[in-house]
Amino acid sequence: MWRTRAAAACVICRSLANSSYGIKRKSPLQNLHLVSRSIHHPCYPSSKFQRPPLRISIQLFSSLNRLPLRKTKLLDVKYGYQSHRNFWLARLASRLLKIRYLVLGSAVGGGYTAKKTYDQWKDMMPDLDEYKWIVPDFIWELDEHIDFEKLIKALPDADDLAKLLPDFDKIGESFTSLKGFFSPGYNLVSEVIGASDLLLLLGSPGETAFRATDQGYDNDKQYKKVSDKEKIDQLQEELLRTQLKYQRMLERLEKENKELRKLVLQRDDKGIHQRKLKKSLIDMYSEVLDILSDYDASYNTQDHLPRVVVVGDQSAGKTSVLEMIAQARIFPRGSGEMMTRSPVKVTLSEGPHHVALFKDSSREFDLTKEEDLAALRNEIEIRMRNSVKEGCTVSTETISLSVKGPGLQRMVLVDLPGVISTVTSGMAPDTKETIFSISKAYMQNPNAIILCIQDGSVDAERSIVTDLVSQMDPQGKRTIFVLTKVDLAEKNVASPSRIQQIIEGKLFPMKALGYFAVVTGKGNSSESIESIKEYEEEFFQNSKLLKTCMLKAHQVTTKNLSLAVSDCFWKMVRESVEQQADAFKATRFNLETEWKNNYPRLRELDRNELFEKAKNEILDEVISLTQVTPKHWEEILQKTLWERVSTHVIENIYLPAAQTMNSGTFNTTVDIKLKQWTDKQLPNKAVEVAWETLQEEFSRFMTEQKGKEHDDIFDKLKQAVKEESIKRHKWNERAEDSLRVIQHNALEDRSISDKQQWDAAIHFMEETLQSRLKDTESVIEDMVGPDWKKRWLYWIGRTKEQNIRNETKNELEKLIKCNEEHAAYLANDEVTTVRKNLEARGITVDPCLIKDTWHQIYRRYFLKTALNHCNLCRRGFYYYQRHFVDSELECNDIVLFWRIQRMLAITANTLRQQLTNTEVRRLEKNVKEVLEDFAEDNEKKVKLLTGKRVQLAEDLKKVREIQEKLEAFIEALHQEK
């Protein structure tokens, strides 16, 4: 092969020389390297001291190419040198014959040694075929995108390359003196040495062929003395030292980067650089996942976006692995008990400060401070317990947490509750099934990366999670297996090859993309992450598993694990995110079409927007209370208050006072009764009436339909706001005290100033008595049954009891006719007389029935008498002004009703002022507080704002938001590429 290449080189040289004929310039051959000139033209002159040339006409032959060379000058000989012209051909032939065998032997020996060395190095190199997934796909596709043939054609030709080569003449002048000592035959030997050196790739220029062969033999002999085991151990130790060295360098650079980022952020805080920092790529992706976690896929659009799902048996070390990746002890810890009670989504991203924060909170926990770490662990535990419903042990509600820090690999991990085999005391009976269903729900996502955690310190046959993972990912295309507690496994396992079988995937039927072995601590929960990392590095550096090649260097430490998981995560994201965006685009089109068909004239208002609209309407209706006229307030208050107190006035004040014999006793009785009533009951009744009136007016405004603008979707919300606001509202406690004084002063006044007030009092009394008389006659009719007219017209008869009461009524009416000034109560002898009269007619009557009937009969008689008295008092204002002197007419009952009427008017006016000035504003404040509380309570809004229209708008809003955020994420992802 070398001979052929040398021959081709000589042909090129001759062509270059011929092409430059007639041009005064240096031949391209002179620009070649000194070694090339020595190989192709051993007799080419290189010394500037030219001796008298000795020209002979002999054609030379090369031992490499055996092609005739052009005629060249022989080397100059020293003064006095006698050339053996007659025997030159004989000596040259003998030398060529000897050197041919030397060249052949050297080439064979050197080739054998090089092949053996190459095979040994090839056996020591690790097999990287299983890890082609680590290298990005575009590396393997370079030949599809780059046309190498065009690239070769673009390279310069031989002539252009010769112009680009430097002038080595000056460099070769330094070797002239050394060149003079070489004979023609020795130059041929140097030529052979160069060829054998290139074949061996081990020798150095200037050595003889014999020395090259001897050296290969000696190296082979020396290599046999060193065992293969020691050689492998040395290489493994060197590889570990190199890896740890670069890892420390990386950590040092990360620390420097952290300090620089801190300085930049401090300058930004001072206002030196006012710029808005862009949201990181992983934060954008995490926001999409948060929205998807709340989205109910009712339109067959499932969440298939990638995330790293961390599964494992209980106490297998899932949380510890996650903490090592996050570089902080952020999760609550327990000894053998279940600590992870709900899924925890952790978004890892790089940042200048090592902090953590929840999705729904603005508080940042500084992970470099132990106080903040303890507070974070406590907060996570509280959220987990709050998410667990009564009677359950685990929850499906996801807790979203973001962790930022220098050197963190960007990814989204979900820590699931540990898989258990037995339900212990204190757990819900369905705990095992619930954990399995939660794990399957996350793992059935075809783009989810399953991080399967296996405890290395226990028997592999006790593992439950491996069978579960095998069911969800039988081909192992998205599973990464992690063996924890390898330090304990190395001490306890009798056969270390068992660990090798696990890591190589030969012990479990489960398949995986990669297998890793990690150490996450010594079992002490108070250890820091730095100390655990140092312990892990020290363990694997001294571990027999690594030295004996049971484990490979890239399969150990959580640092390598996090790098591999992050690469796999982003590869899965790039492959699937655009497909998910297209799916949500189709869902959005379907939702928009459904909205246009069902609600063409309505805006697409989601639940929050509808709540804001309802909130404004409610506040407008509350403000409408202030627009109610004072007259309307006072009329309602006066009417309602009299309805509430009229029974007490008639039954407890007027009727007892009317039974007295003279006006003085009547007025005294009325004053005493009014004073007692004012002190105890009247102010409280008045405040109750005012509060009820305010409620009724508020309800009227809230429930009043406003024609076409009325939206019944707000009815439940308005009703709930009204009830809660009224429930929270409390009337001013001092109102009763001030009202008592006003009412007492109003009732003390007996002076009627004019005839108009007198007539108004008579009218008020007549209306009251007529209303009472009508009610009394209705009661009597129910007692005795229908009269003869109704019986004849409507064919209605009386019952036996009604006949008895009717007969009793007739006897009592005879009693009143005999004594029109009869007292309000029957005497016992009168009751006996009535009973005996009825028994004489064959009617047996109970005394209680007689008294009950008498009460209604006498009441009717008294009310009719009082109405007749009102007619007589219409002309009594003149006598009233003269204090009824020289007059048999006494109208004290008219004065009583005037006092009551005036008290009602003054009370209504006072209550109206309190309502408009104080209570309406306080009610408005309560309504605003209730609305603010409802705005923060999503469950309340979901309960009060319901219906297909609301749900459709909610789905449409979320799908749009998801699609927009996905498109923004995809755009940022392409920019990062």
Side-chain angles (χ1 to χ4, degrees):
M1 180 179 71
W2 280 100
R3 292 170 180 169
T4 307
R5 289 183 181 178
C10 293
V11 172
I12 291 171
C13 295
R14 285 198 301 271
S15 64
L16 290 173
N18 294 332
S19 63
S20 60
Y21 178 78
I23 300 175
K24 295 183 178 181
R25 61 179 179 89
K26 293 184 178 180
S27 173
L29 187 60
Q30 295 176 346
N31 293 329
L32 296 178
H33 194 273
L34 183 61
V35 176
S36 300
R37 287 187 293 173
S38 64
I39 293 176
H40 296 295
H41 304 282
C43 300
Y44 187 84
S46 60
S47 176
K48 66 180 179 179
F49 300 100
Q50 299 294 334
R51 292 176 175 82
L54 182 61
R55 298 183 181 273
I56 58 173
S57 58
I58 297 177
Q59 186 73 25
L60 298 181
F61 293 89
S62 171
S63 62
L64 291 177
N65 49 36
R66 298 193 180 276
L67 291 175
L69 300 177
R70 66 181 179 88
K71 295 181 180 181
T72 58
K73 299 178 181 179
L74 293 176
L75 287 175
D76 298 330
V77 297
K78 294 182 180 180
Y79 181 76
Y81 176 75
Q82 301 295 330
S83 60
H84 301 277
R85 299 176 183 267
N86 300 328
F87 302 100
W88 174 258
L89 292 175
R91 284 198 303 272
L92 181 59
S94 62
R95 287 186 181 181
L96 289 176
L97 291 174
K98 292 179 181 179
I99 291 174
R100 181 174 58 184
Y101 295 108
L102 294 176
V103 171
L104 182 61
S106 176
V108 172
Y112 173 76
T113 305
K115 183 178 183 304
K116 187 173 183 180
T117 305
Y118 169 74
D119 292 339
Q120 290 173 354
W121 277 84
K122 183 178 179 182
D123 294 338
M124 288 187 291
M125 290 295 291
D127 187 7
L128 300 177
D129 293 339
E130 298 178 359
Y131 305 98
K132 289 184 178 180
W133 58 272
I134 298 179
V135 181
D137 294 339
F138 72 90
I139 297 296
W140 308 108
E141 300 172 358
L142 279 177
D143 55 342
E144 299 178 4
H145 303 287
I146 300 175
D147 193 349
F148 288 101
E149 294 182 359
K150 292 183 178 179
L151 185 62
I152 294 172
K153 293 179 180 179
L155 293 176
D157 297 334
D159 295 339
D160 298 332
L161 185 62
K163 296 178 182 179
L164 296 175
L165 290 174
D167 187 4
F168 292 100
D169 287 343
K170 296 182 179 180
I171 300 174
E173 290 176 356
S174 59
F175 297 96
T176 303
S177 58
L178 184 63
K179 189 76 174 180
F181 291 101
F182 295 154
S183 62
Y186 197 80
N187 285 330
L188 295 175
V189 176
S190 298
E191 182 181 0
V192 175
I193 292 174
S196 60
D197 287 341
L198 292 172
L199 287 172
L200 291 176
L201 300 174
L202 296 173
S204 59
E207 292 182 329
T208 62
F210 302 104
R211 187 173 179 181
T213 307
D214 293 340
Q215 184 179 2
Y217 176 76
D218 293 339
N219 289 336
D220 188 22
K221 184 177 181 181
Q222 184 178 0
Y223 181 79
K224 291 180 180 178
K225 295 180 181 178
V226 182
S227 65
D228 293 340
K229 185 177 180 181
E230 293 177 356
K231 197 75 173 178
I232 293 173
D233 291 343
Q234 292 176 2
L235 291 173
Q236 289 289 342
E237 291 178 359
E238 183 66 25
L239 184 61
L240 278 177
R241 283 195 296 269
T242 304
Q243 184 180 10
L244 293 175
K245 173 185 175 182
Y246 285 108
Q247 189 168 352
R248 292 191 185 98
M249 290 175 63
L250 179 61
E251 291 175 355
R252 178 175 58 81
L253 292 174
E254 288 175 351
K255 290 180 179 179
E256 293 178 357
N257 184 29
K258 179 180 177 181
E259 296 297 329
L260 292 174
R261 292 287 294 274
K262 282 184 178 180
L263 292 175
V264 172
L265 291 176
Q266 288 173 358
R267 290 184 179 181
D268 289 341
D269 293 339
K270 293 178 181 179
I272 297 176
H273 298 286
Q274 296 294 337
R275 59 185 177 89
K276 184 178 179 181
L277 294 177
K278 291 185 178 180
K279 195 173 292 184
S280 65
L281 200 62
I282 190 65
D283 289 337
M284 296 171 65
Y285 185 76
S286 180
E287 284 184 1
V288 175
L289 294 182
D290 289 336
I291 299 172
L292 282 172
S293 64
D294 301 330
Y295 173 65
D296 183 14
S298 56
Y299 289 86
N300 298 325
T301 305
Q302 298 180 358
D303 174 17
H304 287 167
L305 287 176
R307 47 177 64 76
V308 181
V309 180
V310 185
V311 295
D313 299 325
Q314 184 178 343
S315 302
K318 296 188 291 68
T319 303
S320 299
V321 171
L322 230 168
E323 288 180 337
M324 289 294 291
I325 295 175
Q327 299 182 16
R329 309 299 291 268
I330 57 178
F331 291 102
R333 311 184 71 81
S335 178
E337 60 177 327
M338 179 181 293
M339 297 304 298
T340 306
R341 296 181 178 270
S342 65
V344 181
K345 182 177 76 69
V346 182
T347 303
L348 300 180
S349 60
E350 190 174 8
H353 305 287
H354 204 183
V355 295
L357 67 158
F358 292 97
K359 177 186 71 172
D360 55 354
S361 175
S362 59
R363 178 187 176 184
E364 284 191 351
F365 296 87
D366 190 350
L367 302 183
T368 60
K369 297 179 180 179
E370 188 58 37
E371 298 82 4
D372 284 17
L373 279 171
L376 178 61
R377 290 192 290 266
N378 185 45
E379 180 67 19
I380 293 176
E381 186 173 3
I382 292 174
R383 286 174 179 258
M384 284 184 181
R385 295 190 181 277
N386 292 339
S387 66
V388 177
K389 298 180 180 179
E390 186 176 357
C392 300
T393 307
V394 294
S395 170
T396 58
E397 183 179 344
T398 303
I399 299 174
S400 183
L401 178 69
S402 296
V403 178
K404 299 181 180 181
L408 295 183
Q409 299 299 319
R410 303 177 302 168
M411 67 184 95
V412 177
L413 304 101
V414 181
D415 187 20
L416 301 180
V419 179
I420 60 175
S421 57
T422 305
V423 177
T424 59
S425 60
M427 292 184 179
D430 61 342
T431 302
K432 179 179 177 181
E433 290 75 14
T434 304
I435 294 175
F436 268 84
S437 64
I438 294 173
S439 301
K440 288 181 178 179
Y442 276 92
M443 288 191 293
Q444 70 183 2
N445 179 359
N447 297 321
I449 300 168
I450 304 173
L451 196 62
C452 180
I453 309 298
Q454 169 67 36
D455 189 353
S457 62
V458 299
D459 295 336
E461 289 77 10
R462 294 168 56 186
S463 176
I464 308 172
V465 71
T466 51
D467 294 337
L468 180 62
V469 173
S470 298
Q471 295 175 8
M472 306 309 297
D473 185 23
Q475 301 299 325
K477 295 181 178 180
R478 51 189 180 90
T479 301
I480 297 177
F481 182 84
V482 182
L483 186 67
T484 61
K485 305 177 184 179
V486 183
D487 53 341
L488 300 178
E490 187 180 26
K491 296 178 183 178
N492 301 333
V493 177
S495 176
S497 60
R498 187 174 178 83
I499 299 176
Q500 184 180 5
Q501 291 178 348
I502 295 175
I503 295 300
E504 291 178 353
K506 298 179 180 179
L507 189 63
F508 296 112
M510 182 189 73
K511 299 179 181 180
L513 279 174
Y515 298 82
F516 290 87
V518 297
V519 175
T520 55
K522 302 178 183 178
N524 186 5
S525 60
S526 61
E527 288 180 304
S528 65
I529 296 296
E530 295 297 330
S531 62
I532 296 175
K533 289 170 65 177
E534 293 176 359
Y535 172 71
E536 184 183 38
E537 293 177 2
E538 182 181 357
F539 167 76
F540 282 116
Q541 189 174 4
N542 301 322
S543 174
K544 295 180 181 178
L545 298 173
L546 207 59
K547 292 182 178 180
T548 56
C549 293
M550 292 186 180
L551 298 179
K552 299 178 182 179
H554 64 274
Q555 291 181 310
V556 298
T557 72
T558 52
K559 184 73 173 179
N560 292 335
L561 171 64
S562 62
L563 289 171
V565 174
S566 178
D567 290 341
C568 189
F569 169 77
W570 284 107
K571 179 182 178 183
M572 193 74 77
V573 167
R574 290 186 175 92
E575 291 176 352
S576 61
V577 67
E578 293 187 0
Q579 181 180 0
Q580 286 291 298
D582 294 338
F584 279 101
K585 186 182 294 184
T587 304
R588 174 179 175 176
F589 176 78
N590 295 336
L591 291 173
E592 289 176 345
T593 304
E594 184 175 356
W595 181 273
K596 291 177 182 178
N597 293 334
N598 294 318
Y599 313 102
R601 297 184 179 181
L602 294 178
R603 288 191 300 137
E604 301 163 359
L605 300 179
D606 61 3
R607 187 170 280 110
N608 292 329
E609 293 171 339
L610 287 172
F611 182 83
E612 289 298 322
K613 183 179 179 181
K615 177 181 177 182
N616 295 331
E617 289 187 8
I618 293 172
L619 293 177
D620 291 341
E621 290 162 358
V622 174
I623 294 176
S624 299
L625 287 174
T626 60
Q627 306 301 321
V628 178
T629 62
K631 182 180 179 181
H632 180 74
W633 278 119
E634 292 181 9
E635 288 177 355
I636 295 175
L637 288 169
Q638 188 171 347
K639 180 182 178 181
T640 309
L641 181 60
W642 175 240
E643 291 175 354
R644 188 67 57 86
V645 301
S646 60
T647 302
H648 180 83
V649 171
I650 298 298
E651 302 294 336
N652 298 328
I653 298 176
Y654 175 60
L655 289 178
Q659 304 301 319
T660 58
M661 300 305 295
N662 52 54
S663 61
T665 307
F666 178 87
N667 290 331
T668 302
T669 304
V670 167
D671 290 341
I672 293 172
K673 296 286 186 181
L674 289 176
K675 181 68 168 60
Q676 294 175 351
W677 183 46
T678 306
D679 291 340
K680 296 180 179 179
Q681 299 179 9
L682 182 58
N684 186 26
K685 289 288 184 182
V687 171
E688 288 181 0
V689 167
W691 177 221
E692 290 177 1
T693 304
L694 179 61
Q695 294 181 34
E696 290 175 0
E697 289 297 307
F698 180 52
S699 300
R700 181 172 66 85
F701 281 109
M702 292 282 287
T703 58
E704 185 178 11
Q705 295 187 2
K706 300 178 180 179
K708 296 181 179 180
E709 297 180 359
H710 178 72
D711 196 346
D712 56 357
I713 203 170
F714 300 141
D715 291 345
K716 292 176 66 176
L717 176 62
K718 290 181 178 181
Q719 183 67 22
V721 171
K722 182 195 74 173
E723 294 175 357
E724 185 66 23
S725 302
I726 292 173
K727 186 178 179 181
R728 295 186 184 185
H729 185 81
K730 292 183 180 179
W731 202 273
N732 191 356
E733 297 178 355
R734 298 180 181 178
E736 291 187 11
D737 298 334
S738 60
L739 193 60
R740 183 179 291 109
V741 175
I742 294 172
Q743 291 172 341
H744 181 73
N745 294 334
L747 292 172
E748 285 291 328
D749 188 8
R750 297 186 181 88
S751 59
I752 304 176
S753 59
D754 54 16
K755 182 70 167 54
Q756 185 178 0
Q757 293 182 1
W758 180 269
D759 293 339
I762 293 174
H763 180 69
F764 174 62
M765 181 177 176
E766 286 180 343
E767 284 185 349
T768 303
L769 294 179
Q770 287 176 357
S771 175
R772 292 293 167 180
L773 179 59
K774 185 177 180 180
D775 293 340
T776 303
E777 289 179 346
S778 176
V779 172
I780 293 173
E781 185 179 356
D782 292 339
M783 290 174 60
V784 302
D787 56 5
W788 64 271
K789 291 183 180 180
K790 291 184 178 180
R791 290 201 303 270
W792 279 96
L793 292 174
Y794 302 107
W795 293 82
I796 301 174
R798 290 175 177 171
T799 63
K800 183 178 180 180
E801 184 180 356
Q802 288 176 344
N803 287 324
I804 294 173
R805 282 189 177 275
N806 185 50
E807 295 296 331
T808 305
K809 182 197 74 157
N810 293 331
E811 287 293 328
L812 293 174
E813 286 178 348
K814 293 177 182 179
L815 187 62
I816 291 176
K817 287 180 180 179
C818 296
N819 184 10
E820 292 182 355
E821 295 182 357
H822 196 286
Y825 301 99
L826 284 176
N828 291 331
D829 56 346
E830 293 176 333
V831 174
T832 303
T833 301
V834 173
R835 182 173 60 81
K836 287 184 177 181
N837 292 337
L838 293 174
E839 287 178 353
R841 286 184 292 185
I843 300 173
T844 305
V845 183
D846 186 65
C848 294
L849 186 144
I850 296 172
K851 292 181 180 179
D852 186 29
T853 306
W854 167 256
H855 177 72
Q856 299 298 330
I857 298 300
Y858 181 81
R859 184 185 182 87
R860 182 178 65 177
Y861 169 75
F862 174 80
L863 292 173
K864 288 181 178 180
T865 304
L867 284 172
N868 294 329
H869 184 69
C870 285
N871 291 328
L872 295 174
C873 289
R874 288 184 183 276
R875 298 171 294 173
F877 181 68
Y878 171 75
Y879 298 103
Y880 166 75
Q881 288 179 329
R882 297 179 60 185
H883 304 288
F884 299 101
V885 178
D886 299 332
S887 175
E888 296 179 358
L889 184 63
E890 293 181 356
C891 297
N892 294 315
D893 48 358
I894 304 298
V895 177
L896 170 63
F897 276 90
W898 179 83
R899 293 166 68 182
I900 297 295
Q901 187 183 29
R902 186 168 181 272
M903 182 272 298
L904 291 174
I906 293 175
T907 302
N909 181 269
T910 304
L911 292 175
R912 188 266 306 167
Q913 292 180 10
Q914 190 171 0
L915 282 171
T916 56
N917 296 334
T918 305
E919 301 304 328
V920 171
R921 298 184 184 278
R922 293 178 65 234
L923 179 62
E924 182 181 358
K925 182 180 178 182
N926 290 338
V927 170
K928 289 181 179 179
E929 291 177 354
V930 171
L931 289 172
E932 290 176 358
D933 293 343
F934 283 7
E936 296 176 357
D937 191 349
N938 291 326
E939 294 181 359
K940 184 77 70 176
K941 288 190 289 186
V942 171
K943 182 179 179 181
L944 297 176
L945 294 173
T946 58
K948 180 181 178 181
R949 169 184 157 195
V950 182
Q951 191 60 44
L952 186 59
E954 280 287 306
D955 292 339
L956 187 54
K957 176 193 172 184
K958 286 187 177 180
V959 168
R960 281 176 177 166
E961 187 178 5
I962 292 169
Q963 183 197 354
E964 291 172 0
K965 288 188 177 294
L966 275 175
E967 289 177 353
F969 171 75
I970 292 171
E971 183 179 358
L973 189 65
H974 290 329
Q975 291 178 357
E976 188 182 65
K977 287 183 180 179

